[in-house]
Amino acid sequence: MKKKILVTGGAGFIGSHLCKYLLEKGNDVICLDNYFTGSKDNIRDLLDNHNFELVRHDVINPYYAEVEEIFNLACPASPIHYQYKPIKTTKTSVLGVLNCLELATEIDAKLLHASTSEVYGDPLENPQKETYWGNVNPIGIRSCYDEGKRVSETFCADYNRQKGTRIKIIRIFNTYGPNMNVNDGRVVSNFILQALNNEDITIYGDGTQTRCFQYVDDLIKGMVGIMETDDSFLGPVNLGNPVEITILQLAEKIIDMTNSKSGLVFKPLPCDDPKRRKPDISLARKVIGYAPSVSVEEGLAATIAYFDKILKNDHGSAI
Ligand code: NAD
Ligand code: UDP
């Protein structure tokens, strides 16, 4: 059945894939964004679709529309961007979700809030289950994002308890794919761009820290699946691909897949950088049969092809 859906942060990396997917299913989509890290280029192909509406708006201010579902994604996600104006980041997380919750309560819409594996901080348990409360520095350089997302989860839980608001919290683990900003600064896009340009790959620390990388198509299926669960399911629920690799292994894989001449250069590890991260996805598997199916090799190949095309368009020739 056709639904009216609001996607905040819809012009960003994940948001643009979500808008496309929801439109392909025949829904009406309002994409709301202030273009801080997102871009109209990501949703240019959708602009001719009569079911698509684009609104420039900052989520720290209230917004009203009659919709049945809200996906709240607005928030910079890359450390360099969320640390650029940290006070704004916390406001975006906290006031953004507050405004979404007020709207959802008033119009009885379902709200799915995009939280993050960062709520686990530098985890002392591996893999991380939803029941783990985390190890987060409240005053460090990552705190604007981590604590902002933690308070957002608190708001969601309390709106549900106090006002009966229909909420769902997902905790997204490192996700990558086409439409990541070329200036995003996160590891996958940095390494691919460096490899394609035959520049040194910047490893922070000794590269033994781990992450698990989920391709964006798998995440979108998970997000939509969770939104469709019964109102009694609130989460939080982890969405990620549990295949764990070191940052050094990721660099070697990307160099190999791009036939790059890049070397490795080691830079200082940023403060509070988590040493290990791996989702336990048994809850998502149980609730929606979640099973990421895109391998790192397949996902990286699609992402490399995307950035390769962007570089060729920018410079008019191959690297
Ligand atoms: P992104 O930076 O590409 O997208 C964020 C979007 O939100 C951008 O379009 C940006 O312009 C918009 N935005 C930022 N501040 C805003 C504001 N005040 N008002 C309106 N729009 C605003 O990042 P992404 O990777 O697509 O992340 C989307 C969401 O998923 C974020 O909430 C992020 O915290 C969450 N998440 C992502 C990952 C990941 O690995 N990609 C992991 C965990 C959580
Ligand atoms: N990283 C790196 N080189 C880069 C960018 C990131 O070694 O050019 C490391 C970073 O220190 C972290 C991991 O890669 O250990 C993932 O970083 P990213 O910023 O992608 O995400 P997050 O730290 O939020 O998981």
Side-chain angles (χ1 to χ4, degrees):
M1 207 185 63
K2 183 174 185 161
K3 285 176 283 192
K4 292 195 188 106
I5 303 175
L6 173 64
V7 179
T8 77
F13 157 51
I14 296 172
S16 58
H17 287 272
L18 180 64
C19 288
K20 184 164 182 273
Y21 182 93
L22 295 172
L23 286 169
E24 280 168 4
K25 296 285 171 201
N27 298 296
D28 256 336
V29 175
I30 302 174
C31 165
L32 191 149
D33 210 294
N34 72 347
Y35 309 118
F36 173 48
T37 49
S39 159
K40 282 187 190 161
D41 287 339
N42 286 341
I43 32 108
R44 201 168 294 287
D45 292 350
L46 312 179
L47 293 175
D48 289 338
N49 188 322
H50 295 306
N51 292 327
F52 185 68
E53 225 173 304
L54 183 58
V55 180
R56 179 191 285 266
H57 182 82
D58 191 312
V59 292
I60 69 168
N61 301 309
Y63 174 78
Y64 185 88
E66 295 279 353
V67 294
E68 286 134 272
E69 293 179 355
I70 304 168
F71 287 86
N72 182 39
L73 274 67
C75 186
S78 153
I80 54 162
H81 292 296
Y82 70 64
Q83 287 164 21
Y84 169 64
K85 284 192 176 163
I87 298 170
K88 179 65 193 258
T89 299
T90 308
K91 282 167 92 174
T92 294
S93 255
V94 175
L95 300 179
V97 81
L98 184 61
N99 286 322
C100 286
L101 284 161
E102 283 290 327
L103 176 62
T105 310
E106 186 177 344
I107 61 176
D108 193 27
K110 267 197 281 187
L111 170 69
L112 179 142
H113 175 62
S115 187
T116 167
S117 52
E118 285 284 320
V119 298
Y120 302 120
D122 189 2
L124 304 177
E125 282 181 15
N126 201 60
Q128 294 85 51
K129 282 193 172 66
E130 291 84 352
T131 46
Y132 177 51
W133 289 354
N135 176 38
V136 179
N137 177 354
I139 54 165
I141 55 170
R142 295 177 88 96
S143 312
C144 58
Y145 184 72
D146 299 12
E147 297 288 19
K149 291 284 187 179
R150 284 167 69 97
V151 176
S152 307
E153 290 197 11
T154 310
F155 262 146
C156 289
D158 282 336
Y159 265 75
N160 174 265
R161 270 189 290 263
Q162 197 177 317
K163 303 192 180 209
T165 312
R166 296 191 289 151
I167 62 107
K168 294 172 189 309
I169 301 166
I170 57 165
R171 292 180 178 157
I172 304 172
F173 283 66
N174 297 63
T175 303
Y176 69 99
N179 292 6
M180 291 184 90
N181 194 317
V182 276
N183 300 313
D184 185 87
R186 278 176 282 184
V187 69
V188 173
S189 49
N190 269 11
F191 285 6
I192 291 178
L193 286 163
Q194 289 161 344
L196 289 172
N197 285 320
N198 293 308
E199 292 163 0
D200 283 342
I201 304 270
T202 51
I203 309 267
Y204 302 160
D206 61 7
T208 55
Q209 70 271 36
T210 70
R211 293 293 186 273
C212 294
F213 294 99
Q214 161 174 248
Y215 189 64
V216 65
D217 288 0
D218 283 328
L219 172 66
I220 300 301
K221 285 184 203 142
M223 290 176 89
V224 173
I226 293 295
M227 183 60 113
E228 284 167 2
T229 54
D230 192 74
D231 280 355
S232 62
F233 182 76
L234 312 175
V237 57
N238 292 337
L239 291 178
N241 185 334
V243 178
E244 188 177 10
I245 62 169
T246 68
I247 294 306
L248 208 50
Q249 285 169 328
L250 177 73
E252 282 157 2
K253 204 178 271 296
I254 289 174
I255 290 174
D256 189 44
M257 289 179 71
T258 50
N259 288 319
S260 174
K261 298 186 186 67
S262 295
L264 303 178
V265 60
F266 292 84
K267 304 238 169 164
L269 189 67
C271 190
D272 297 334
D273 198 284
K275 285 179 269 312
R276 289 192 77 179
R277 184 183 288 152
K278 175 181 160 100
D280 179 317
I281 56 165
S282 42
L283 178 61
R285 193 180 298 123
K286 187 172 132 212
V287 177
I288 56 165
Y290 187 61
S293 62
V294 183
S295 69
V296 175
E297 289 73 18
E298 287 169 306
L300 284 178
T303 313
I304 290 167
Y306 170 80
F307 281 114
D308 193 33
K309 196 166 156 207
I310 292 217
L311 288 178
K312 282 176 180 152
N313 283 346
D314 273 1
H315 306 305
S317 64
I319 313 301

